């Protein structure tokens, strides 16, 4: 978290192990959502938390945040940042010596 004049200017959302989080698709970890055809789709831990992070950071509904996360996960998207709803959103990478941690960031 980065503060500017007492206001949060940047917020990072980082997982210790994104791969492990993506592998957890049990409903108890990530819950579920509906696809465009109304079918129930289980979410992994990272996706569920990422949707909430984007939705709350940008003030958009969860369906739009889910589509945004799908865009951000596409290889051709890169690390960003990309500007959505007046906020720069991108990937954050921290750590060194093989101990990298990945996550999302939102910065005004």
């Amino acid at each position: 978290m980065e503060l500017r004049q007492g206001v949060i200017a940047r917020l990072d959302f980082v997982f210790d192990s994104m791969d492990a989080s993506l592998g957890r698709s049990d409903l108890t970890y990530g819950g579920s959502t509906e696809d465009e055809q109304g079918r129930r789709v289980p979410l992994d831990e990272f996706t569920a938390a990422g949707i909430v992070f984007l939705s709350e950071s940008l003030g958009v509904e969860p369906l739009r945040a889910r589509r945004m996360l799908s865009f951000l996960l596409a290889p051709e998207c890169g690390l960003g940042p990309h500007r959505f709803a007046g906020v720069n959103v991108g990937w954050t990478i921290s750590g060194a010596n093989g101990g990298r941690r990945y996550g999302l960031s939102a910065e005004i």
Side-chain angles (χ1 to χ4, degrees), residues 43-102:
L43 292 175
D44 58 78
E45 184 179 50
F46 176 81
T47 302
I51 289 170
V52 171
F53 175 79
L54 291 172
S55 179
E56 294 295 318
S57 296
L58 303 173
V60 299
E61 52 277 343
L63 179 61
R64 288 179 192 248
R66 183 171 63 107
R67 289 179 180 154
M68 203 174 299
L69 184 60
S70 293
F71 167 75
L72 291 168
L73 286 167
E76 50 276 351
C77 176
L79 296 175
H82 303 281
R83 193 125 178 110
F84 298 108
V87 177
N88 289 325
V89 177
W91 292 102
T92 183
I93 303 170
S94 62
N97 300 327
R100 287 189 170 181
R101 295 177 9 198
Y102 300 88

Side-chain angles (χ1 to χ4, degrees), residues 6-8 13 15 23 25 29 32 34-35 37 40-41 46 52-53 56 63 66 84 90-91 94-95 100 105:
V7 178
I8 295 175
F13 169 70
F15 268 86
S25 61
Y29 289 107
S32 67
E34 290 184 0
D35 64 9
Q37 288 77 35
R40 195 169 171 202
V41 178
F46 176 81
V52 171
F53 175 79
E56 294 295 318
L63 179 61
R66 183 171 63 107
F84 298 108
W91 292 102
S94 62
R100 287 189 170 181
S105 67

